[in-house]
Amino acid sequence: MAVLLDEIVQSLELWLKLIRKPQPYVDPNLDPVLLVPGIAGSVLNAVDEETGKEERVWVRILGADYAFRTKLWSRFDPSTGKTESLDPKTKIVVPEDRSGLYAIDALDPDLVFGQEAVYYFHDMIVELIKWGYQEGKTLFGFGYDFRQSNRLKETLDRLAARLEAVYTASGGKKINIISHSMGGLLVKCFMCLHSDVFEKYVKNWIAIAAPFQGAPGYVTSTFLNGMSFVDGWESNFFISKWSFHQLLIECPSIYELMACLDFQWEHKPLLEMWRERLHGDGNSQIILESYPLADSVDIFKEALSSNTFNYNGEDIPLPYNTEILKWANETRDIMSRAKVPPQVKFYNIYGVNLETPHTVCYGDEQTPVTDLQQLRYFQPTYVCVDGDGTVPAESAKADGLRAEARVGVPGEHRGILCEHHVFRILKHWLKADHDPYYNPINDYVVLPTAFEMEKHKEKGLEVTSLKEEWEIIADDQGDNHKNITADGNPMVSSISVSQEGAEARATVTVYPENEGKQHVELNALSVSVDA
């Protein structure tokens, strides 16, 4: 009897075009794609310049924290705008294997179990290959040292060289850049400072989850408390939050993710603290203090004024770095002047439907903050806004550029790179619609929303009932999409399958489209002789 129900469900799923062509194929007509990751999204190797020995320092499990502290911890040089590793013998490089894809695929390729915890572009690479892209022919990656500024000349020169190499390898075809998170800021800086090169080689730029106006809650708590790249129990096997904190204080990239002061925020981000204040009569009161963006820097300075780390037995001061802040402000000023060249199309995908930290609060009425230098040891709480859990939606969609389209997709900041809704959109924008089972005119995304199955026996019969529901998210732009229930009434269809001693019937109900979504219900009942 289970076979009969399977036949019904498979029939419906085929009708919804969930079944894709099983075998990938090579499409020589595709324009090349270059994938650009965000912060912490590239494998980094440390090269001993004396011996030439090379080892991966980001990401790894065995000896991870020690390698991170000895090889990646760094100091900023304001004369060059570059952050340099404390170990003078160490040079940080990005592996170029697989045409740059190795460094941005799975960030710890040696993991056997739990590798998905450090997947970056892995799922998207697999999907693009299914569409006909080839590594080294039409599919490439650009990893970079994410500690550095997004306008560091060394990084931008590497990106220019990579664009030229991709253009040549693909036979002179212009390139589709897909950036994620901070990678969008890197591409925006490049577009502004090398607009001629950008226009020469780039056809489309698709930014995903880019913090164009910053990530206020994420950056504030990072400066004061550090960050974990991997959430949950797996984080215990990687870099400690404290080690990451000490690294990022000297990284221009994290300062360039601070909230933009000039942006007209719908919800103004704040840094808040519960403090005890004495009155003139000798009495005290616990009050909530709020600091706007411009004033939060003074809090960072005080909170980190005594911050130090021990390197080779020496205590090195590591306060909030105002020289990096100056550099980052210049970077943001450069990005504010960026314009998309006339021959290039820009698209923006941003995450929605997740509570995203915006205002950060320390202490409470029972445990107020008495010493700002103790903020590093407080657990922050957040006032959240809509976004992807890291970047507020209002920041990600405020790109300040001429965009062909801006689309909000429900998804988590890094997890959005695995969302099939995003894959559908990319496939359409990249014009990779050569799958004979895929029709872009009827493009939609199907999200399962409910599944219930019950079985019971009565009078020698086994009765099974099944209820399954989906939401169809349709592309409602233009007149190409026809509402199959345009008269306002649900469309009801019946399906039946039978064999000797068993019968199954199902009713499919398709409800009218509402706000870009169409609800589909399947109710099925099967009856068979109890063997």
Side-chain angles (χ1 to χ4, degrees):
M1 182 48 55
V3 174
L4 296 181
L5 288 178
D6 283 345
E7 289 181 13
I8 289 176
V9 174
Q10 288 174 12
S11 298
L12 181 59
E13 289 180 343
L14 181 61
W15 176 67
L16 293 174
K17 294 185 184 290
L18 282 176
I19 297 178
R20 312 291 289 277
K21 185 166 58 61
Q23 294 298 323
Y25 61 96
V26 174
D27 187 344
N29 299 313
L30 292 172
D31 294 320
V33 165
L34 179 66
L35 303 176
V36 181
I39 194 166
S42 303
V43 170
L44 298 181
N45 289 350
V47 178
D48 188 315
E49 297 196 283
E50 292 183 355
T51 65
K53 180 182 178 181
E54 188 168 337
E55 64 174 327
R56 188 172 71 253
V57 291
W58 178 260
V59 175
R60 57 187 285 180
I61 288 184
L62 296 177
D65 213 58
Y66 175 78
F68 189 87
R69 287 185 278 113
T70 55
K71 305 296 184 181
L72 272 185
W73 271 2
S74 49
R75 297 304 297 269
F76 177 74
D77 183 349
S79 66
T80 62
K82 186 175 183 180
T83 190
E84 300 277 6
S85 294
L86 289 171
D87 183 353
K89 299 185 300 181
T90 293
K91 179 182 179 182
I92 300 300
V93 300
V94 179
E96 299 291 348
D97 312 56
R98 292 174 51 205
S99 301
L101 294 170
Y102 171 88
I104 63 173
D105 187 336
L107 300 184
D108 189 346
D110 293 338
L111 276 180
V112 177
F113 299 104
Q115 191 180 55
E116 65 278 1
V118 288
Y119 276 171
Y120 203 92
F121 273 116
H122 177 79
D123 288 55
M124 187 176 291
I125 290 170
V126 171
E127 193 72 16
L128 288 165
I129 290 173
K130 287 180 182 178
W131 301 346
Y133 287 89
Q134 284 181 285
E135 293 187 8
K137 297 287 187 181
T138 50
L139 184 56
F140 305 82
F142 180 75
Y144 56 96
D145 184 349
F146 53 79
R147 300 175 303 168
Q148 308 297 343
S149 167
N150 288 291
R151 64 180 172 99
L152 184 71
K153 184 179 184 301
E154 181 180 316
T155 304
L156 298 186
D157 287 348
R158 283 188 58 243
L159 180 53
R162 178 58 52 85
L163 289 172
E164 182 179 8
V166 171
Y167 182 81
T168 301
S170 61
K173 292 182 178 180
K174 285 197 169 186
I175 302 158
N176 298 292
I177 295 178
I178 300 176
S179 64
H180 175 250
S181 189
M182 192 182 75
L185 304 189
L186 174 66
V187 174
K188 192 175 184 181
C189 282
F190 183 88
M191 185 176 69
C192 188
L193 295 173
H194 299 277
S195 58
D196 54 338
V197 178
F198 194 84
E199 186 169 20
K200 179 179 180 180
Y201 294 123
V202 178
K203 180 178 183 179
N204 300 306
W205 169 28
I206 303 171
I208 302 176
F212 285 113
Q213 301 300 331
Y218 172 84
V219 172
T220 295
S221 59
T222 294
F223 274 133
L224 295 174
N225 311 106
M227 63 165 279
S228 297
F229 182 70
V230 177
D231 294 324
W233 65 269
E234 293 98 336
S235 63
N236 298 316
F237 298 103
F238 293 95
I239 308 302
S240 73
K241 197 171 183 180
W242 181 82
S243 292
F244 223 151
H245 176 247
Q246 302 298 72
L247 172 79
L248 294 176
I249 289 174
E250 286 290 303
C251 291
S253 55
I254 199 70
Y255 288 72
E256 290 168 357
L257 295 176
M258 293 177 68
C260 180
L261 295 176
D262 298 329
F263 182 59
Q264 298 299 311
W265 294 92
E266 180 182 354
H267 305 286
K268 292 184 179 180
L270 301 170
L271 171 57
E272 296 184 333
M273 287 181 290
W274 287 94
R275 305 288 299 275
E276 183 177 12
R277 291 301 182 191
L278 292 174
H279 298 300
D281 58 5
N283 294 320
S284 65
Q285 182 182 11
I286 307 299
I287 63 172
L288 180 63
E289 296 180 348
S290 296
Y291 300 88
L293 291 173
D295 297 334
S296 62
V297 170
D298 292 330
I299 303 298
F300 296 151
K301 290 179 183 178
E302 176 64 24
L304 298 173
S305 61
S306 62
N307 184 47
T308 63
F309 64 89
N310 188 278
Y311 187 81
N312 285 343
E314 179 185 357
D315 286 330
I316 300 176
L318 197 66
Y320 182 81
N321 196 318
T322 55
E323 291 292 337
I324 300 181
L325 180 60
K326 292 177 184 177
W327 178 277
N329 287 337
E330 293 174 5
T331 302
R332 281 194 287 268
D333 184 58
I334 288 171
M335 286 192 291
S336 70
R337 301 194 297 269
K339 292 184 179 180
V340 179
Q343 302 304 315
V344 179
K345 292 184 178 181
F346 168 69
Y347 302 85
N348 186 347
I349 297 174
Y350 56 93
V352 296
N353 287 11
L354 285 182
E355 292 286 291
T356 302
H358 199 56
T359 286
V360 184
C361 183
Y362 290 91
D364 53 41
E365 291 181 275
Q366 286 71 43
T367 313
V369 176
T370 57
D371 181 354
L372 291 182
Q373 295 184 24
Q374 295 299 310
L375 281 179
R376 289 174 290 163
Y377 310 108
F378 274 81
Q379 183 68 30
T381 57
Y382 302 102
V383 175
C384 295
V385 295
D386 184 42
D388 61 20
T390 298
V391 179
E394 64 172 318
S395 170
K397 64 184 177 182
D399 47 67
L401 302 172
R402 171 182 53 80
E404 302 296 317
R406 296 183 183 90
V407 180
V409 174
E412 184 268 335
H413 184 66
R414 187 149 55 99
I416 200 170
L417 295 177
C418 310
E419 288 288 339
H420 285 278
H421 191 172
V422 171
F423 295 159
R424 289 277 192 173
I425 295 168
L426 292 178
K427 190 172 187 180
H428 189 61
W429 287 346
L430 295 174
K431 300 189 184 306
D433 308 326
H434 302 290
D435 186 331
Y437 295 97
Y438 175 78
N439 183 350
I441 295 177
N442 297 318
D443 185 38
Y444 50 71
V445 179
V446 180
L447 301 177
T449 59
F451 179 86
E452 299 175 9
M453 178 179 283
E454 293 183 0
K455 292 183 179 181
H456 66 276
K457 297 179 180 180
E458 57 181 54
K459 298 180 179 179
L461 300 177
E462 182 178 280
V463 180
T464 303
S465 62
L466 171 70
K467 180 179 180 181
E468 197 162 355
E469 300 180 11
W470 294 270
E471 291 284 358
I472 302 178
I473 303 176
D475 178 2
D476 57 2
Q477 298 178 6
D479 298 325
N480 291 328
H481 296 280
K482 303 299 182 182
N483 188 344
I484 59 175
T485 56
D487 60 0
N489 296 317
M491 184 182 74
V492 181
S493 300
S494 296
I495 304 172
S496 63
V497 181
S498 62
Q499 63 185 39
E500 185 177 354
E503 182 176 357
R505 296 181 181 274
T507 300
V508 179
T509 305
V510 182
Y511 291 89
E513 184 177 323
N514 181 25
E515 297 181 351
K517 296 181 180 180
Q518 214 155 23
H519 192 73
V520 178
E521 289 184 2
L522 167 69
N523 288 283
L525 182 69
S526 67
V527 179
S528 62
V529 177
D530 183 6

